[in-house]
């Protein structure tokens, strides 16, 4: 799709920052009528110049031979590849500090295609908890139908909980993957990614293979956490959230080495879980402002969290930036996360009635699940996103009826504070 000029990541000695590369990386205007912006390639199929080209493209796509030096995979059919998706994948890989990326129709398409590509009947998946509701359903209700057993540990337990789960998995059979969601939602519990990689190394089989370490990076990624640099093999992200950033699309991504992505690419081609070109184009547009948006949201979230912390009608604020120095997650937060991000929860004084009263009075915050958009959202985990967790389990996780989750957008933070202030006053 481009000559090498459009793939340069440096000027002289200087490595260009991701936010700079988002304006054009991987796109050659001279292949598209000199259009400054990449067109949306709304096409299902691509014309081969010659039959020999078609043959060569298929040989590569079907893995019938190795890639020749400097050979670009030829465009065949939009379920296999498409220029918008290829450019988007190149740009997402830059943010994730990965060799490559694959984009999917949703975060769940990315997660399910990834786990399915690695899980085999009789294997286990060791995973942190709580995980996103859709992922929880996949692990507990769908994968077991195919003979794959989930083994859960709780993010808040620190490394001993993860080590115990790995020991139990070792006894249970081959481990396909260590799957981590960190920070966890809505508890903000953290999981040690580097330690997970060490544990995966201890599970190497006689054939030299070991379980892959997969991290769901939706809450802080890609700006504020880079799991691959910390030891993860694969990073999955719901691009619906911060990357899309405008609450107007659904998409997902998976980054890693070309080798680790290879089985996932094959499954994506056959399951047809890829992203569509128009959504891919929207995501490239979003990536141009990703850093601006995530920075503004994180700055706003700090102000909002600080306001809530001192409020007489607020019982607790679960904001990562407020982890006390003696909290076991504090060193992990400093090592793994570049910011506390902009999604966090707080408890009102009282219970469900007081939480609902505040939620119903909000004017600037919209009452909706999801996160990472330009607009601020508020939701009630116990009765909404986490309502299928058994009551005693909710209590154990701290998902009380008084808990409200906020996703802080890019409005003026003082307006958000005024809104929360009037809503809490009741
Ligand atoms: C939203 C979300 C998902 C699922 O993503 P979709 O794009 O809705 O399919 C997965 N993990 C986390 C942490 C999420 O917040």
């Amino acid at each position: 799709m481009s000559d090498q000029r459009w793939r340069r990541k440096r000027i002289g000695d200087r490595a260009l920052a991701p936010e700079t590369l988002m304006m054009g990386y991987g796109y050659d205007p001279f292949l598209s009528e000199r259009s400054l912006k990449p067109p949306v390639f709304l096409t299902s199929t691509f014309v081969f110049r010659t039959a020999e080209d078609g043959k060569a493209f298929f040989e590569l796509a079907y893995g019938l031979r190795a890639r020749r030096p400097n050979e670009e995979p030829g465009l065949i059919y939009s379920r296999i590849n498409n220029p918008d998706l290829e450019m988007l994948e190149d740009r997402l890989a830059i943010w994730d500090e990965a060799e490559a990326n694959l984009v999917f129709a949703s975060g769940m398409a990315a997660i399910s295609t990834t786990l399915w590509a690695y899980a085999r009947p009789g294997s286990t998946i060791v995973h942190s908890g709580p995980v996103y509701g859709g992922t929880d359903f996949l692990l507990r209700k769908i994968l077991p139908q195919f003979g794959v057993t989930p083994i859960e540990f709780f993010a808040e337990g620190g490394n001993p909980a993860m080590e115990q789960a790995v020991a139990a998995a070792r006894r249970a059979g081959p481990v396909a993957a260590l799957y981590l969601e960190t920070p966890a939602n809505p508890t903000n519990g953290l999981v040690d990614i580097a330690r997970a990689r060490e544990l995966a190394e201890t599970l190497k089989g006689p054939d030299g293979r070991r379980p892959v370490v997969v991290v769901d990076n939706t809450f802080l990624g890609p700006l504020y956490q880079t799991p691959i640099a910390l030891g993860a093999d694969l990073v999955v992200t719901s691009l619906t959230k911060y990357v899309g950033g405008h609450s107007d699309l659904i998409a997902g991504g998976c980054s890693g080495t070309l080798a680790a992505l290879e089985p996932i690419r094959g499954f994506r081609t056959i399951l047809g879980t890829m992203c569509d070109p128009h959504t891919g184009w929207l995501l490239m547009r979003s990536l141009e402002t990703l850093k601006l948006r995530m920075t503004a949201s994180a700055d706003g979230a700090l102000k909002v969290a600080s306001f809530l912390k001192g409020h007489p009608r607020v019982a607790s604020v679960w904001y990562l930036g407020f982890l006390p120095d003696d909290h076991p997650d504090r060193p992990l937060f400093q090592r793994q996360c570049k910011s506390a991000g902009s999604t966090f929860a707080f408890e009102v004084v009282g219970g469900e009635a007081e939480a609902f009263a505040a939620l119903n009075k909000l004017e600037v915050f919209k009452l909706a699940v999801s996160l990472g958009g330009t607009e601020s959202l508020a939701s009630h985990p116990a009765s909404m996103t986490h309502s299928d967790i058994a009551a005693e389990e909710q209590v154990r996780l701290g998902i009380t009826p008084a808990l409200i989750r906020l996703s802080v957008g890019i409005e003026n933070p003082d307006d958000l504070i005024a809104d929360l202030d009037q809503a809490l006053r009741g």
Side-chain angles (χ1 to χ4, degrees):
M1 183 60 211
S2 67
D3 75 31
Q4 290 312 307
R5 184 164 31 139
W6 313 104
R7 292 264 174 92
R8 284 200 197 125
K9 292 186 184 165
R10 317 185 67 85
I11 289 203
D13 297 341
R14 185 179 165 78
L16 297 172
E19 62 269 27
T20 304
L21 292 168
M22 290 309 108
M23 307 316 168
Y25 183 79
Y27 170 61
D28 177 355
F30 300 105
L31 289 178
S32 293
E33 303 283 3
R34 297 179 291 107
S35 168
L36 173 70
K37 287 302 191 196
V40 197
F41 288 88
L42 289 178
T43 185
S44 57
T45 194
F46 297 86
V47 178
F48 305 130
R49 209 173 278 283
T50 62
E52 287 78 7
D53 268 6
K55 178 179 175 183
F57 295 173
F58 266 97
E59 282 171 349
L60 198 57
Y62 284 6
L64 303 178
R65 62 169 171 83
R67 208 191 267 212
R68 301 193 179 105
N70 296 326
E71 183 181 7
E72 295 274 329
L75 294 162
I76 297 176
Y77 185 71
S78 283
R79 179 157 42 74
I80 302 173
N81 49 10
N82 173 284
D84 291 295
L85 304 192
E86 290 184 342
M87 287 183 276
L88 171 63
E89 288 168 350
D90 287 348
R91 293 181 193 181
L92 287 166
I94 290 171
W95 281 110
D96 283 335
E97 297 180 14
E99 199 177 357
N101 171 278
L102 295 170
V103 284
F104 293 85
S106 66
M108 281 315 302
I111 293 165
S112 53
T113 307
T114 297
L115 289 181
W116 200 355
Y118 278 94
R120 290 294 174 271
S123 67
T124 62
I125 294 176
V126 177
H127 71 93
S128 64
V131 288
Y132 178 74
T135 311
D136 190 72
F137 196 94
L138 174 73
L139 288 164
R140 284 203 291 177
K141 307 270 169 61
I142 295 189
L143 288 174
Q145 297 178 41
F146 298 88
V148 179
T149 308
I151 297 182
E152 185 175 30
F153 67 92
F154 285 98
E156 84 236 10
N159 287 340
M162 176 162 66
E163 282 158 16
Q164 277 163 24
V166 167
R170 194 192 298 277
R171 290 190 294 273
V175 184
L178 267 57
Y179 183 91
L180 321 175
E181 192 175 310
T182 180
N185 163 39
T187 55
N188 271 346
L190 299 179
V191 186
D192 187 339
I193 298 169
R195 183 69 188 133
R197 171 61 178 268
E198 284 172 7
L199 290 170
E201 298 285 351
T202 69
L203 292 167
K204 216 169 244 170
D207 57 357
R209 286 158 65 102
R210 61 163 175 83
V212 282
V213 177
V214 186
V215 176
D216 182 334
N217 202 32
T218 301
F219 271 73
L220 290 180
L223 208 66
Y224 295 136
Q225 188 168 262
T226 317
I228 288 183
L230 298 162
D233 298 295
L234 294 163
V235 176
V236 289
T237 306
S238 169
L239 303 175
T240 309
K241 314 293 167 51
Y242 288 99
V243 176
H246 296 72
S247 307
D248 55 4
L249 59 82
I250 300 266
C254 181
S255 289
T257 59
L258 278 167
L261 290 174
E262 203 45 47
I264 306 168
R265 184 190 303 276
F267 270 57
R268 184 184 69 164
T269 293
I270 300 308
L271 297 175
T273 46
M274 73 294 158
C275 179
D276 71 281
H278 182 245
T279 302
W281 184 90
L282 282 171
L283 283 162
M284 281 193 278
R285 182 180 178 142
S286 290
L287 280 176
E288 296 185 7
T289 55
L290 176 73
K291 186 174 180 185
L292 284 178
R293 288 183 285 104
M294 285 192 79
T295 305
S297 291
D299 291 350
L302 172 59
K303 286 192 181 164
V304 169
S306 304
F307 161 78
L308 289 171
K309 199 179 177 188
H311 200 284
R313 301 240 167 134
V314 171
S316 65
V317 181
W318 303 5
Y319 174 72
L320 279 171
F322 295 161
L323 279 177
D325 283 340
D326 59 354
H327 192 285
D329 278 353
R330 179 84 198 169
L332 195 51
F333 172 64
Q334 280 165 327
R335 205 162 65 235
Q336 266 183 199
C337 315
K338 297 168 204 161
S339 159
S342 51
T343 302
F344 65 93
F346 71 97
E347 282 176 300
V348 296
V349 173
E352 185 182 272
E354 288 75 12
F356 278 18
L359 286 166
N360 289 336
K361 281 201 76 189
L362 288 169
E363 289 182 29
V364 180
F365 279 87
K366 303 291 184 296
L367 185 51
V369 298
S370 198
L371 59 120
T374 46
E375 67 289 295
S376 295
L377 302 179
S379 62
H380 187 251
S383 67
M384 296 174 189
T385 46
H386 294 71
S387 54
D388 64 344
I389 297 180
E392 63 276 18
E393 189 65 18
Q394 281 194 351
V395 171
R396 227 185 60 70
L397 291 169
I399 303 173
T400 64
L403 194 72
I404 290 175
R405 189 185 78 179
L406 300 180
S407 166
V408 175
I410 61 171
E411 303 93 338
N412 186 313
D414 292 328
D415 291 340
L416 298 174
I417 288 169
D419 193 26
L420 285 164
D421 195 31
Q422 65 81 23
L424 285 168
R425 217 171 292 142

